[in-house]
Amino acid sequence: MANIENSALFKISYGLFVVTSNNGTRDNGLIVNTVSQITDSPIRVAVAINKKNYSHDTIKETGKMNVCCLSVDAPFSVFETFGFKSGRDTNKFDGITPVRSENGLAVLPEFINGFISLEVESYIDIDSHGMFICTVSEAKTLSDKESMTYTYYQKNVKPKPETTKSKGYVCKICGYIYEGDPLPEDFICPWCKHGASDFEKIQ
Ligand code: FE
């Protein structure tokens, strides 16, 4: 067996982003923590997106996306809207009037401190996810608020689940509660799409 402590992986720090795209009919967006600048001359940015997310297919077809960098003032409702629903069957921009970047895609009107418009240069199939390697067509700073990190979200934004009333398993990523025992090994969280290994038993 490989000597792997999962907890060591949590030592990697991440930001949180709303990645927007448009399928030609409507705006869509999803929450990801997998955005990194990987080269600086020219600037390239890599974004990994789960293939189960509708945005994956839209971005693969259209070759463009916007990365909206969430700031610490983003409320939990932003994560509910963009993280726990599918753009396949819901309009996530219902009730939101987006700003437009030069590429025509949506930019969140609030709760972000900057955005980066990307054009896909290459695509790498990594089984469960697609990795988009992109060049930058536009980038703007919108405020000097601190960026939302994954740790900040876990500590300050995610509501504490009312696990005292529930039995079963809770998703450590988003707080979804599976009311049953045992948790199926191939269970996929319906909100955040993480697998059974990210669930813990409610004591
Ligand atoms: Fe989850």
Side-chain angles (χ1 to χ4, degrees):
M1 290 292 278
N3 190 8
I4 295 170
E5 286 181 28
N6 280 333
S7 56
L9 277 298
F10 290 119
K11 304 300 184 194
I12 303 174
S13 46
Y14 295 97
L16 284 166
F17 312 89
V18 173
V19 170
T20 62
S21 57
N22 190 301
N23 63 3
T25 310
R26 59 185 161 82
D27 293 310
N28 192 18
L30 86 166
I31 304 269
V32 303
N33 64 349
T34 46
V35 175
S36 314
Q37 182 182 341
I38 51 171
T39 64
D40 60 6
S41 183
I43 298 171
R44 285 192 193 83
V45 173
V47 183
I49 299 181
N50 193 311
K51 289 180 185 173
K52 289 193 179 75
N53 288 119
Y54 181 59
S55 296
H56 169 273
D57 298 357
T58 302
I59 293 165
K60 206 171 172 209
E61 279 160 28
T62 61
K64 58 181 185 173
M65 71 183 102
N66 280 347
V67 171
C68 301
C69 305
L70 289 167
S71 41
V72 288
D73 56 330
F76 186 63
S77 62
V78 170
F79 296 89
E80 287 180 298
T81 300
F82 289 100
F84 305 158
K85 294 173 184 170
S86 174
R88 233 175 234 109
D89 43 42
T90 50
N91 180 1
K92 297 186 183 181
F93 276 89
D94 204 14
I96 301 173
T97 305
V99 180
R100 297 282 159 193
S101 50
E102 286 168 6
N103 62 5
L105 293 182
V107 173
L108 287 203
E110 52 186 347
F111 311 131
I112 67 171
N113 57 13
F115 75 86
I116 304 152
S117 296
L118 301 179
E119 287 181 12
V120 179
E121 189 178 63
S122 54
Y123 174 85
I124 302 167
D125 187 318
I126 39 176
D127 303 328
S128 59
H129 288 60
M131 171 72 88
F132 297 92
I133 312 288
C134 307
T135 55
V136 176
S137 62
E138 187 185 0
K140 271 204 160 59
T141 298
L142 301 173
S143 86
D144 55 8
K145 287 181 188 135
E146 297 259 339
S147 293
M148 174 80 75
T149 62
Y150 188 65
T151 303
Y152 187 94
Y153 167 79
Q154 288 285 349
K155 282 189 180 154
N156 303 299
V157 182
K158 189 177 85 171
K160 306 279 174 273
E162 293 187 37
T163 52
T164 47
K165 291 188 200 127
S166 310
K167 282 199 168 85
Y169 291 79
V170 61
C171 175
K172 288 187 282 185
I173 309 298
C174 73
Y176 174 84
I177 291 171
Y178 177 84
E179 292 183 23
D181 201 8
L183 180 74
E185 269 176 39
D186 58 353
F187 190 73
I188 304 283
C189 178
W191 286 359
C192 71
K193 314 290 187 237
H194 282 244
S197 61
D198 284 316
F199 279 74
E200 64 187 1
K201 195 168 185 12
I202 298 167
Q203 301 297 336

